[in-house]
Amino acid sequence: MRTLLPLCLIWALSCTAAAQDRPNVVLILIDDQGYADLGCYGAQGFETPNIDRLAAEGMRFTSYYAAQGVCSASRSAVMTGCYPNRVGVFGAYGPEAKEGLDPSEQTLAELLQDAGYATYAVGKWHLGHNDPAMLPTGQGFDHYYGIPYSNDMWPVDYDGTPLPDTHWKSKHPPLPVLSDTEVDHRISTLEGQGELVRDYTEHAMAFLRGWGQGDRERPFFLYFPHSLPHVPLGVQEHFETDATTRYAEVIEEIDAYTGKLMEFLGDLGVADNTLVVYTSDNGPWMNYGDHAGSALPLREGKGTSWEGGVRVPCIVWWPGHVPAGEVRGGIVTAMDLLPTIAEICGASLSVRKIDGMSVRTYWTGEREDSPRDEMIFWYGRRLEGVRRGKWKLTVPHEYRSYGRVEPGMGGWPGPYARGRAAWELYDLEADVEERKNVADLHPDVVEELRAMAEDARQRLGDHDMRGSEQRPTGKV
């Protein structure tokens, strides 16, 4: 007679098999890294061999968009799969901010945690910190280590000297480095910031080392948002590099420690079953000159909805699943990370409406074109443009510009110029620099995209107008 296994044992065995089949996930998010700031994207003056290797062994995207050209808003899209307007996250939260990502939103970490993943966050959070429920450990992460907001939000001047009491930033405390919800230590010098890349990487590896010594049947999710190369820039004094600018030194250091993390995954024996995504939160802060990156050949940078502000590097690496060495030009966005990773990892999506869509089959090469054909561009609450296919239409607005002004040097910022956009149409396949307005040549396309813009305005708002689908902003 055949012996029947108890149902509980069958369930346990099936869950173990499923866990072993599901990949680990590492999501690396760099701060203010421009489109041209990796060797595989045409970087000049520095080298990034470790990240270039990820691209050579994985897939590189040339039309990946951050949600907005600013820190907190762009990160909310990564965590929720929503345009920032939908979840009420705008701008960049300062140390005194009471707002944050509403804990009622379901984050990527919560989805994976519910699916049985061990979840870790290391680095810059910037989605609320004055309520523990808004910190990573209240938003789906088992453990967190890092700075809760940007590294320039401290009482220190650009040259590293303390600011006088009369300066508006003097009210900020030295940078708190949190361990879960408690302050581990504070950073008050540029030398201390120079240890961040190494410190973050060592803590990420420590979390994974603990995972490896524990229940390895649970896959892991590591969210790794670096604080740099957001200014001010600090580099370890003993880090050896031939780079000619401080910005290049920081990028080469990030590359070196990315290589150390990848080597560590190999030592753990999990590299072959780990999905790695490398991208940036927005474009470069170009008025910092030699302390800023490049978006060439794209127009403008951080703080704008021109391509240089929101089109950023993106690399996906997953051995045996993502074809090696492929370059894809279809539209992929930060909002798509959540549903794509959730599908790959067998996690159930939230019942709450999101704006992302799964692009799994595009990543794996099962389809040649991206499932996504559209992107909407907001900055804060202001609707600034829409894209469908190769066409991008700007909505009339004023914007800060890096053109026609001299950038700063040595860590000091230069001034901004002001620009004004009208109803302008650009063919991004023929004119990725957004230099030739062809609205007069294609009035039918303009009308089609104006209707798309009006629909976006009605759904998710424009300026201070709330859209009917917008959810409330999280507040303490």
Side-chain angles (χ1 to χ4, degrees):
M1 177 182 292
R2 185 174 62 180
T3 301
L4 297 179
L5 291 173
L7 287 177
C8 60
L9 180 56
I10 294 173
W11 179 85
L13 290 172
S14 64
C15 287
T16 299
Q20 291 171 342
D21 291 339
R22 293 180 296 167
N24 307 298
V25 178
V26 176
L27 173 51
I28 303 172
L29 186 67
I30 309 301
D31 200 339
D32 290 2
Q33 185 169 28
Y35 184 80
D37 289 340
L38 292 173
C40 55
Y41 281 86
Q44 299 293 319
F46 57 92
E47 298 179 348
T48 55
N50 294 290
I51 300 167
D52 293 349
R53 180 180 175 184
L54 292 178
E57 297 176 355
M59 186 175 288
R60 179 168 68 87
F61 298 90
T62 59
S63 286
Y64 172 91
Y65 287 105
Q68 286 195 23
V70 63
C71 297
S72 296
S74 67
R75 289 156 199 272
S76 73
V78 172
M79 279 292 105
T80 67
C82 296
Y83 282 111
N85 303 57
R86 184 177 299 284
V87 295
V89 176
F90 303 103
Y93 297 135
E96 292 80 26
K98 301 300 182 183
E99 295 83 8
L101 178 63
D102 196 308
S104 68
E105 297 295 339
Q106 191 161 30
T107 67
L108 175 58
E110 288 171 327
L111 292 175
L112 296 183
Q113 193 178 58
D114 290 346
Y117 275 69
T119 55
Y120 310 104
V122 178
K124 172 184 169 180
W125 177 238
H126 218 175
L127 286 173
H129 58 279
N130 281 315
D131 181 345
M134 292 179 181
L135 284 168
T137 50
Q139 304 270 21
F141 290 98
D142 300 330
H143 294 289
Y144 170 59
Y145 180 88
I147 295 174
Y149 39 77
S150 290
N151 62 321
D152 65 337
M153 296 176 175
W154 64 336
V156 178
D157 213 342
Y158 299 107
D159 60 357
T161 60
L163 288 165
D165 292 342
T166 55
H167 195 282
W168 67 272
K169 287 175 65 174
S170 65
K171 63 185 177 183
H172 295 340
L175 291 175
V177 180
L178 303 185
S179 179
D180 290 341
T181 60
E182 301 299 321
V183 176
D184 181 87
H185 65 280
R186 293 185 182 272
I187 298 174
S188 57
T189 66
L190 285 175
E191 290 76 15
Q193 290 215 31
E195 299 296 318
L196 280 175
V197 175
R198 174 195 56 79
D199 190 33
Y200 284 171
T201 306
E202 289 182 352
H203 274 83
M205 293 190 297
F207 283 148
L208 298 186
R209 188 177 297 111
W211 168 86
Q213 294 169 350
D215 183 6
R216 291 179 64 120
E217 292 181 351
R218 298 177 65 202
F220 66 77
F221 169 45
L222 171 64
Y223 175 50
F224 194 3
H226 277 281
S227 290
L228 300 173
H230 191 293
V231 293
L233 301 181
V235 180
Q236 295 182 74
E237 291 185 4
H238 60 272
F239 181 76
E240 297 182 3
T241 175
D242 295 326
T244 57
T245 69
R246 176 56 62 91
Y247 184 87
E249 290 176 348
V250 172
I251 296 297
E252 289 197 352
E253 185 177 16
I254 290 172
D255 177 79
Y257 278 92
T258 300
K260 291 181 183 294
L261 178 61
M262 295 303 298
E263 182 179 359
F264 182 77
L265 294 176
D267 293 342
L268 276 180
V270 299
D272 288 344
N273 191 35
T274 299
L275 165 66
V276 177
V277 179
Y278 181 102
T279 189
S280 177
D281 68 338
N282 48 245
W285 208 349
M286 293 163 57
N287 62 322
Y288 281 88
D290 60 340
H291 281 223
S294 169
L296 289 176
L298 309 179
R299 182 173 176 177
E300 296 288 357
K302 175 180 177 175
T304 79
S305 295
W306 299 103
E307 294 293 289
V310 287
R311 190 191 294 212
V312 293
C314 182
I315 296 166
V316 175
W317 182 91
W318 187 17
H321 298 272
V322 171
E326 292 213 7
V327 180
R328 294 294 182 93
I331 300 173
V332 179
T333 77
M335 289 75 72
D336 303 328
L337 296 179
L338 181 146
T340 305
I341 293 172
E343 181 181 351
I344 289 171
C345 297
S348 299
L349 288 179
S350 168
V351 296
R352 308 198 78 176
K353 184 176 179 60
I354 65 172
D355 301 294
M357 61 180 61
S358 176
V359 292
R360 178 191 64 80
T361 55
Y362 190 50
W363 285 8
T364 59
E366 297 170 56
R367 59 181 293 170
E368 291 295 318
D369 58 325
S370 174
R372 175 180 288 280
D373 191 45
E374 297 181 345
M375 175 66 185
I376 306 170
F377 303 93
W378 279 277
Y379 189 74
R381 291 180 170 88
R382 184 176 61 210
L383 180 64
E384 296 191 341
V386 295
R387 178 180 176 182
R388 176 173 290 156
K390 70 177 184 177
W391 298 109
K392 179 177 179 181
L393 180 74
T394 63
V395 175
H397 67 275
E398 285 193 353
Y399 61 93
R400 74 185 192 191
S401 173
Y402 302 97
R404 306 180 306 281
V405 290
E406 286 293 323
M409 297 292 287
W412 297 86
Y416 294 115
R418 297 299 300 174
R420 178 180 288 275
W423 291 107
E424 301 170 25
L425 181 68
Y426 296 94
D427 177 350
L428 294 180
E429 289 183 0
D431 178 29
V432 74
E433 299 178 13
E434 297 175 289
R435 298 300 179 192
K436 186 177 181 181
N437 176 13
V438 294
D440 290 344
L441 301 178
H442 302 279
D444 54 335
V445 177
V446 171
E447 287 307 307
E448 176 187 339
L449 293 186
R450 286 188 69 159
M452 177 182 169
E454 182 58 30
D455 177 69
R457 174 181 285 116
Q458 293 300 321
R459 288 190 295 112
L460 290 176
D462 187 9
H463 294 277
D464 291 329
M465 184 183 81
R466 282 185 173 271
S468 59
E469 296 181 10
Q470 187 184 49
R471 299 198 281 264
T473 303
K475 293 185 179 181
V476 174

